[in-house]
Amino acid sequence: MQLSVRCVVASLLLTLSLPCVAGVLDSPNGDVLLTLRGKITHINAQQTAQFDRAMLQALPQHHFTTTTPWTEGAHRYDGVLLKDLLAAVGARGSQLTLYALNDYHATIQLAPLRDYPILVAMKADGRPMRVRDKGPLWLLYPMSDFPQLDSKKHHVGMVWQLNGMVVE
């Protein structure tokens, strides 16, 4: 009897741990907006993690209001924190290369940004961002709340029309 209880407990623990070991994310049902690859452990398509809008919106949502060098006045941006997105894919790296629809790319170091609420914005002023308005995704730093982020060094990492990330 004691042996079968051990087997049941061991089987249950193994079953509960499989999603973590396998690292399988749900598959996107809509258009893929963002693809992550590199040093990630949770995937859903050929060594990548692909997200549609619904998947991104299912992650904890945050917002801030900030100015940028590319827009007039302050605007409210809504989306998912970069750290939450990286946690969702099991990222294990020290830098991130960001890719835009127009092939622009920039590499940022993650450690210096760890304490800031960096946002993968999906909405500006309550409306989904369109490609012509720097969307559908824009990596934004809360420069109005943290003026030290308002520098050319950080501006290059605020990639709009974001569609890919490589964790290195």
Side-chain angles (χ1 to χ4, degrees), residues 111-138:
L113 301 173
R114 181 177 302 127
D115 297 327
Y116 300 105
I118 308 302
L119 192 68
V120 178
M122 295 181 283
K123 292 182 180 178
D125 298 325
R127 293 183 305 274
M129 292 189 297
R130 302 174 301 172
V131 171
R132 70 169 65 182
D133 300 320
K134 302 189 177 5
L137 304 174
W138 187 2

PDB file of all heavy atoms in Angstrom, residues 111-138:
ATOM      1  N   ALA A 111      20.593  44.189 -17.633  1.00  0.00           N
ATOM      2  CA  ALA A 111      20.896  44.486 -16.226  1.00  0.00           C
ATOM      3  C   ALA A 111      20.657  45.956 -15.862  1.00  0.00           C
ATOM      4  O   ALA A 111      20.014  46.230 -14.843  1.00  0.00           O
ATOM      5  CB  ALA A 111      22.313  44.059 -15.880  1.00  0.00           C
ATOM      6  N   PRO A 112      21.105  46.924 -16.651  1.00  0.00           N
ATOM      7  CA  PRO A 112      20.880  48.321 -16.267  1.00  0.00           C
ATOM      8  C   PRO A 112      19.403  48.735 -16.284  1.00  0.00           C
ATOM      9  O   PRO A 112      19.034  49.738 -15.682  1.00  0.00           O
ATOM     10  CB  PRO A 112      21.662  49.128 -17.308  1.00  0.00           C
ATOM     11  CG  PRO A 112      22.591  48.179 -17.955  1.00  0.00           C
ATOM     12  CD  PRO A 112      21.958  46.827 -17.835  1.00  0.00           C
ATOM     13  N   LEU A 113      18.562  47.962 -16.949  1.00  0.00           N
ATOM     14  CA  LEU A 113      17.142  48.303 -17.072  1.00  0.00           C
ATOM     15  C   LEU A 113      16.262  47.516 -16.104  1.00  0.00           C
ATOM     16  O   LEU A 113      15.052  47.723 -16.063  1.00  0.00           O
ATOM     17  CB  LEU A 113      16.683  48.056 -18.511  1.00  0.00           C
ATOM     18  CG  LEU A 113      17.434  48.844 -19.575  1.00  0.00           C
ATOM     19  CD1 LEU A 113      17.013  48.400 -20.960  1.00  0.00           C
ATOM     20  CD2 LEU A 113      17.225  50.335 -19.395  1.00  0.00           C
ATOM     21  N   ARG A 114      16.864  46.650 -15.326  1.00  0.00           N
ATOM     22  CA  ARG A 114      16.131  45.736 -14.453  1.00  0.00           C
ATOM     23  C   ARG A 114      15.136  46.440 -13.527  1.00  0.00           C
ATOM     24  O   ARG A 114      14.061  45.927 -13.268  1.00  0.00           O
ATOM     25  CB  ARG A 114      17.128  44.933 -13.621  1.00  0.00           C
ATOM     26  CG  ARG A 114      16.490  43.927 -12.689  1.00  0.00           C
ATOM     27  CD  ARG A 114      17.507  43.090 -11.918  1.00  0.00           C
ATOM     28  NE  ARG A 114      18.373  42.374 -12.840  1.00  0.00           N
ATOM     29  CZ  ARG A 114      19.710  42.431 -12.801  1.00  0.00           C
ATOM     30  NH1 ARG A 114      20.315  43.141 -11.889  1.00  0.00           N
ATOM     31  NH2 ARG A 114      20.428  41.756 -13.670  1.00  0.00           N
ATOM     32  N   ASP A 115      15.489  47.613 -13.027  1.00  0.00           N
ATOM     33  CA  ASP A 115      14.647  48.297 -12.040  1.00  0.00           C
ATOM     34  C   ASP A 115      13.617  49.249 -12.641  1.00  0.00           C
ATOM     35  O   ASP A 115      12.943  49.963 -11.902  1.00  0.00           O
ATOM     36  CB  ASP A 115      15.532  49.055 -11.050  1.00  0.00           C
ATOM     37  CG  ASP A 115      16.423  48.105 -10.252  1.00  0.00           C
ATOM     38  OD1 ASP A 115      15.987  46.966  -9.980  1.00  0.00           O
ATOM     39  OD2 ASP A 115      17.557  48.497  -9.917  1.00  0.00           O
ATOM     40  N   TYR A 116      13.509  49.271 -13.960  1.00  0.00           N
ATOM     41  CA  TYR A 116      12.572  50.189 -14.614  1.00  0.00           C
ATOM     42  C   TYR A 116      11.402  49.426 -15.240  1.00  0.00           C
ATOM     43  O   TYR A 116      11.582  48.335 -15.773  1.00  0.00           O
ATOM     44  CB  TYR A 116      13.282  50.998 -15.703  1.00  0.00           C
ATOM     45  CG  TYR A 116      14.410  51.827 -15.180  1.00  0.00           C
ATOM     46  CD1 TYR A 116      15.734  51.456 -15.400  1.00  0.00           C
ATOM     47  CD2 TYR A 116      14.166  53.003 -14.465  1.00  0.00           C
ATOM     48  CE1 TYR A 116      16.781  52.227 -14.925  1.00  0.00           C
ATOM     49  CE2 TYR A 116      15.218  53.778 -13.985  1.00  0.00           C
ATOM     50  CZ  TYR A 116      16.512  53.375 -14.217  1.00  0.00           C
ATOM     51  OH  TYR A 116      17.544  54.145 -13.733  1.00  0.00           O
ATOM     52  N   PRO A 117      10.224  50.023 -15.230  1.00  0.00           N
ATOM     53  CA  PRO A 117       9.061  49.364 -15.857  1.00  0.00           C
ATOM     54  C   PRO A 117       9.038  49.593 -17.371  1.00  0.00           C
ATOM     55  O   PRO A 117       8.244  50.366 -17.896  1.00  0.00           O
ATOM     56  CB  PRO A 117       7.874  50.037 -15.160  1.00  0.00           C
ATOM     57  CG  PRO A 117       8.371  51.408 -14.809  1.00  0.00           C
ATOM     58  CD  PRO A 117       9.842  51.248 -14.504  1.00  0.00           C
ATOM     59  N   ILE A 118       9.929  48.896 -18.072  1.00  0.00           N
ATOM     60  CA  ILE A 118       9.997  48.983 -19.532  1.00  0.00           C
ATOM     61  C   ILE A 118       8.753  48.289 -20.086  1.00  0.00           C
ATOM     62  O   ILE A 118       8.403  47.195 -19.666  1.00  0.00           O
ATOM     63  CB  ILE A 118      11.277  48.315 -20.065  1.00  0.00           C
ATOM     64  CG1 ILE A 118      12.529  48.850 -19.350  1.00  0.00           C
ATOM     65  CG2 ILE A 118      11.373  48.468 -21.580  1.00  0.00           C
ATOM     66  CD1 ILE A 118      12.751  50.321 -19.442  1.00  0.00           C
ATOM     67  N   LEU A 119       8.112  48.924 -21.049  1.00  0.00           N
ATOM     68  CA  LEU A 119       6.807  48.464 -21.525  1.00  0.00           C
ATOM     69  C   LEU A 119       6.860  48.073 -22.996  1.00  0.00           C
ATOM     70  O   LEU A 119       7.419  48.790 -23.822  1.00  0.00           O
ATOM     71  CB  LEU A 119       5.802  49.605 -21.339  1.00  0.00           C
ATOM     72  CG  LEU A 119       4.327  49.317 -21.501  1.00  0.00           C
ATOM     73  CD1 LEU A 119       3.821  48.411 -20.377  1.00  0.00           C
ATOM     74  CD2 LEU A 119       3.542  50.627 -21.473  1.00  0.00           C
ATOM     75  N   VAL A 120       6.267  46.923 -23.298  1.00  0.00           N
ATOM     76  CA  VAL A 120       5.984  46.574 -24.691  1.00  0.00           C
ATOM     77  C   VAL A 120       4.567  47.100 -24.911  1.00  0.00           C
ATOM     78  O   VAL A 120       3.577  46.454 -24.552  1.00  0.00           O
ATOM     79  CB  VAL A 120       6.083  45.059 -24.943  1.00  0.00           C
ATOM     80  CG1 VAL A 120       5.734  44.741 -26.398  1.00  0.00           C
ATOM     81  CG2 VAL A 120       7.479  44.547 -24.605  1.00  0.00           C
ATOM     82  N   ALA A 121       4.489  48.303 -25.448  1.00  0.00           N
ATOM     83  CA  ALA A 121       3.203  48.993 -25.575  1.00  0.00           C
ATOM     84  C   ALA A 121       2.431  48.476 -26.778  1.00  0.00           C
ATOM     85  O   ALA A 121       2.981  48.277 -27.858  1.00  0.00           O
ATOM     86  CB  ALA A 121       3.430  50.498 -25.707  1.00  0.00           C
ATOM     87  N   MET A 122       1.117  48.284 -26.533  1.00  0.00           N
ATOM     88  CA  MET A 122       0.201  47.864 -27.589  1.00  0.00           C
ATOM     89  C   MET A 122      -0.849  48.927 -27.868  1.00  0.00           C
ATOM     90  O   MET A 122      -1.487  48.909 -28.905  1.00  0.00           O
ATOM     91  CB  MET A 122      -0.511  46.570 -27.188  1.00  0.00           C
ATOM     92  CG  MET A 122       0.411  45.387 -27.059  1.00  0.00           C
ATOM     93  SD  MET A 122      -0.477  43.876 -26.622  1.00  0.00           S
ATOM     94  CE  MET A 122      -0.743  44.169 -24.884  1.00  0.00           C
ATOM     95  N   LYS A 123      -1.017  49.852 -26.899  1.00  0.00           N
ATOM     96  CA  LYS A 123      -2.011  50.907 -27.045  1.00  0.00           C
ATOM     97  C   LYS A 123      -1.384  52.253 -26.717  1.00  0.00           C
ATOM     98  O   LYS A 123      -0.541  52.359 -25.839  1.00  0.00           O
ATOM     99  CB  LYS A 123      -3.194  50.692 -26.088  1.00  0.00           C
ATOM    100  CG  LYS A 123      -4.051  49.508 -26.400  1.00  0.00           C
ATOM    101  CD  LYS A 123      -5.212  49.435 -25.425  1.00  0.00           C
ATOM    102  CE  LYS A 123      -6.099  48.250 -25.699  1.00  0.00           C
ATOM    103  NZ  LYS A 123      -7.194  48.173 -24.714  1.00  0.00           N
ATOM    104  N   ALA A 124      -1.831  53.250 -27.437  1.00  0.00           N
ATOM    105  CA  ALA A 124      -1.475  54.644 -27.154  1.00  0.00           C
ATOM    106  C   ALA A 124      -2.775  55.404 -26.955  1.00  0.00           C
ATOM    107  O   ALA A 124      -3.662  55.354 -27.819  1.00  0.00           O
ATOM    108  CB  ALA A 124      -0.669  55.248 -28.301  1.00  0.00           C
ATOM    109  N   ASP A 125      -2.878  56.053 -25.825  1.00  0.00           N
ATOM    110  CA  ASP A 125      -4.088  56.818 -25.493  1.00  0.00           C
ATOM    111  C   ASP A 125      -5.355  55.983 -25.651  1.00  0.00           C
ATOM    112  O   ASP A 125      -6.376  56.436 -26.164  1.00  0.00           O
ATOM    113  CB  ASP A 125      -4.160  58.103 -26.332  1.00  0.00           C
ATOM    114  CG  ASP A 125      -2.985  59.021 -26.047  1.00  0.00           C
ATOM    115  OD1 ASP A 125      -2.529  59.084 -24.885  1.00  0.00           O
ATOM    116  OD2 ASP A 125      -2.506  59.680 -26.991  1.00  0.00           O
ATOM    117  N   GLY A 126      -5.260  54.720 -25.230  1.00  0.00           N
ATOM    118  CA  GLY A 126      -6.428  53.840 -25.213  1.00  0.00           C
ATOM    119  C   GLY A 126      -6.753  53.145 -26.524  1.00  0.00           C
ATOM    120  O   GLY A 126      -7.695  52.361 -26.587  1.00  0.00           O
ATOM    121  N   ARG A 127      -6.002  53.415 -27.576  1.00  0.00           N
ATOM    122  CA  ARG A 127      -6.280  52.804 -28.883  1.00  0.00           C
ATOM    123  C   ARG A 127      -5.123  51.905 -29.312  1.00  0.00           C
ATOM    124  O   ARG A 127      -3.966  52.274 -29.129  1.00  0.00           O
ATOM    125  CB  ARG A 127      -6.490  53.892 -29.929  1.00  0.00           C
ATOM    126  CG  ARG A 127      -7.759  54.719 -29.710  1.00  0.00           C
ATOM    127  CD  ARG A 127      -7.967  55.739 -30.815  1.00  0.00           C
ATOM    128  NE  ARG A 127      -6.840  56.632 -31.030  1.00  0.00           N
ATOM    129  CZ  ARG A 127      -6.632  57.768 -30.364  1.00  0.00           C
ATOM    130  NH1 ARG A 127      -7.471  58.161 -29.450  1.00  0.00           N
ATOM    131  NH2 ARG A 127      -5.590  58.518 -30.638  1.00  0.00           N
ATOM    132  N   PRO A 128      -5.449  50.749 -29.907  1.00  0.00           N
ATOM    133  CA  PRO A 128      -4.369  49.903 -30.431  1.00  0.00           C
ATOM    134  C   PRO A 128      -3.518  50.695 -31.421  1.00  0.00           C
ATOM    135  O   PRO A 128      -4.042  51.447 -32.244  1.00  0.00           O
ATOM    136  CB  PRO A 128      -5.107  48.764 -31.139  1.00  0.00           C
ATOM    137  CG  PRO A 128      -6.440  48.717 -30.466  1.00  0.00           C
ATOM    138  CD  PRO A 128      -6.770  50.150 -30.117  1.00  0.00           C
ATOM    139  N   MET A 129      -2.210  50.536 -31.308  1.00  0.00           N
ATOM    140  CA  MET A 129      -1.308  51.268 -32.198  1.00  0.00           C
ATOM    141  C   MET A 129      -1.269  50.594 -33.576  1.00  0.00           C
ATOM    142  O   MET A 129      -1.171  49.374 -33.673  1.00  0.00           O
ATOM    143  CB  MET A 129       0.097  51.335 -31.594  1.00  0.00           C
ATOM    144  CG  MET A 129       0.155  52.203 -30.364  1.00  0.00           C
ATOM    145  SD  MET A 129       1.834  52.507 -29.767  1.00  0.00           S
ATOM    146  CE  MET A 129       2.359  50.877 -29.361  1.00  0.00           C
ATOM    147  N   ARG A 130      -1.348  51.417 -34.588  1.00  0.00           N
ATOM    148  CA  ARG A 130      -1.256  50.935 -35.966  1.00  0.00           C
ATOM    149  C   ARG A 130       0.187  51.055 -36.433  1.00  0.00           C
ATOM    150  O   ARG A 130       0.985  51.797 -35.857  1.00  0.00           O
ATOM    151  CB  ARG A 130      -2.154  51.773 -36.877  1.00  0.00           C
ATOM    152  CG  ARG A 130      -3.619  51.753 -36.441  1.00  0.00           C
ATOM    153  CD  ARG A 130      -4.445  52.691 -37.261  1.00  0.00           C
ATOM    154  NE  ARG A 130      -3.915  54.056 -37.130  1.00  0.00           N
ATOM    155  CZ  ARG A 130      -4.319  55.092 -37.832  1.00  0.00           C
ATOM    156  NH1 ARG A 130      -5.255  54.951 -38.745  1.00  0.00           N
ATOM    157  NH2 ARG A 130      -3.813  56.288 -37.636  1.00  0.00           N
ATOM    158  N   VAL A 131       0.529  50.352 -37.496  1.00  0.00           N
ATOM    159  CA  VAL A 131       1.887  50.415 -38.038  1.00  0.00           C
ATOM    160  C   VAL A 131       2.267  51.862 -38.336  1.00  0.00           C
ATOM    161  O   VAL A 131       3.375  52.297 -38.014  1.00  0.00           O
ATOM    162  CB  VAL A 131       2.023  49.527 -39.298  1.00  0.00           C
ATOM    163  CG1 VAL A 131       3.357  49.766 -39.988  1.00  0.00           C
ATOM    164  CG2 VAL A 131       1.876  48.060 -38.920  1.00  0.00           C
ATOM    165  N   ARG A 132       1.357  52.640 -38.895  1.00  0.00           N
ATOM    166  CA  ARG A 132       1.680  54.035 -39.232  1.00  0.00           C
ATOM    167  C   ARG A 132       1.887  54.911 -37.992  1.00  0.00           C
ATOM    168  O   ARG A 132       2.405  56.001 -38.085  1.00  0.00           O
ATOM    169  CB  ARG A 132       0.611  54.637 -40.132  1.00  0.00           C
ATOM    170  CG  ARG A 132      -0.704  54.861 -39.409  1.00  0.00           C
ATOM    171  CD  ARG A 132      -1.689  55.681 -40.181  1.00  0.00           C
ATOM    172  NE  ARG A 132      -2.115  55.005 -41.380  1.00  0.00           N
ATOM    173  CZ  ARG A 132      -2.941  55.510 -42.257  1.00  0.00           C
ATOM    174  NH1 ARG A 132      -3.454  56.702 -42.059  1.00  0.00           N
ATOM    175  NH2 ARG A 132      -3.294  54.856 -43.323  1.00  0.00           N
ATOM    176  N   ASP A 133       1.476  54.383 -36.815  1.00  0.00           N
ATOM    177  CA  ASP A 133       1.620  55.119 -35.560  1.00  0.00           C
ATOM    178  C   ASP A 133       2.622  54.444 -34.629  1.00  0.00           C
ATOM    179  O   ASP A 133       2.458  54.441 -33.418  1.00  0.00           O
ATOM    180  CB  ASP A 133       0.265  55.229 -34.856  1.00  0.00           C
ATOM    181  CG  ASP A 133      -0.756  55.963 -35.701  1.00  0.00           C
ATOM    182  OD1 ASP A 133      -0.402  56.960 -36.354  1.00  0.00           O
ATOM    183  OD2 ASP A 133      -1.928  55.516 -35.720  1.00  0.00           O
ATOM    184  N   LYS A 134       3.634  53.833 -35.198  1.00  0.00           N
ATOM    185  CA  LYS A 134       4.722  53.180 -34.479  1.00  0.00           C
ATOM    186  C   LYS A 134       4.339  51.822 -33.886  1.00  0.00           C
ATOM    187  O   LYS A 134       5.072  51.262 -33.092  1.00  0.00           O
ATOM    188  CB  LYS A 134       5.320  54.097 -33.412  1.00  0.00           C
ATOM    189  CG  LYS A 134       5.850  55.397 -34.011  1.00  0.00           C
ATOM    190  CD  LYS A 134       6.615  56.206 -33.028  1.00  0.00           C
ATOM    191  CE  LYS A 134       7.234  57.461 -33.553  1.00  0.00           C
ATOM    192  NZ  LYS A 134       7.009  57.896 -34.882  1.00  0.00           N
ATOM    193  N   GLY A 135       3.208  51.293 -34.262  1.00  0.00           N
ATOM    194  CA  GLY A 135       2.751  50.015 -33.731  1.00  0.00           C
ATOM    195  C   GLY A 135       3.004  48.882 -34.702  1.00  0.00           C
ATOM    196  O   GLY A 135       3.701  49.061 -35.687  1.00  0.00           O
ATOM    197  N   PRO A 136       2.479  47.738 -34.461  1.00  0.00           N
ATOM    198  CA  PRO A 136       1.521  47.472 -33.398  1.00  0.00           C
ATOM    199  C   PRO A 136       2.153  47.354 -32.010  1.00  0.00           C
ATOM    200  O   PRO A 136       1.452  47.408 -31.012  1.00  0.00           O
ATOM    201  CB  PRO A 136       0.876  46.158 -33.817  1.00  0.00           C
ATOM    202  CG  PRO A 136       1.901  45.472 -34.659  1.00  0.00           C
ATOM    203  CD  PRO A 136       2.669  46.571 -35.336  1.00  0.00           C
ATOM    204  N   LEU A 137       3.486  47.214 -31.939  1.00  0.00           N
ATOM    205  CA  LEU A 137       4.180  47.141 -30.652  1.00  0.00           C
ATOM    206  C   LEU A 137       5.328  48.144 -30.628  1.00  0.00           C
ATOM    207  O   LEU A 137       6.007  48.341 -31.639  1.00  0.00           O
ATOM    208  CB  LEU A 137       4.737  45.734 -30.414  1.00  0.00           C
ATOM    209  CG  LEU A 137       3.741  44.583 -30.463  1.00  0.00           C
ATOM    210  CD1 LEU A 137       4.472  43.247 -30.348  1.00  0.00           C
ATOM    211  CD2 LEU A 137       2.694  44.722 -29.374  1.00  0.00           C
ATOM    212  N   TRP A 138       5.544  48.732 -29.463  1.00  0.00           N
ATOM    213  CA  TRP A 138       6.628  49.707 -29.301  1.00  0.00           C
ATOM    214  C   TRP A 138       7.236  49.491 -27.928  1.00  0.00           C
ATOM    215  O   TRP A 138       6.532  49.556 -26.917  1.00  0.00           O
ATOM    216  CB  TRP A 138       6.065  51.115 -29.438  1.00  0.00           C
ATOM    217  CG  TRP A 138       7.072  52.219 -29.456  1.00  0.00           C
ATOM    218  CD1 TRP A 138       8.435  52.117 -29.407  1.00  0.00           C
ATOM    219  CD2 TRP A 138       6.796  53.622 -29.537  1.00  0.00           C
ATOM    220  NE1 TRP A 138       9.017  53.367 -29.458  1.00  0.00           N
ATOM    221  CE2 TRP A 138       8.029  54.302 -29.541  1.00  0.00           C
ATOM    222  CE3 TRP A 138       5.625  54.359 -29.609  1.00  0.00           C
ATOM    223  CZ2 TRP A 138       8.128  55.678 -29.598  1.00  0.00           C
ATOM    224  CZ3 TRP A 138       5.719  55.733 -29.671  1.00  0.00           C
ATOM    225  CH2 TRP A 138       6.957  56.404 -29.675  1.00  0.00           C
TER     226      TRP A 138
END
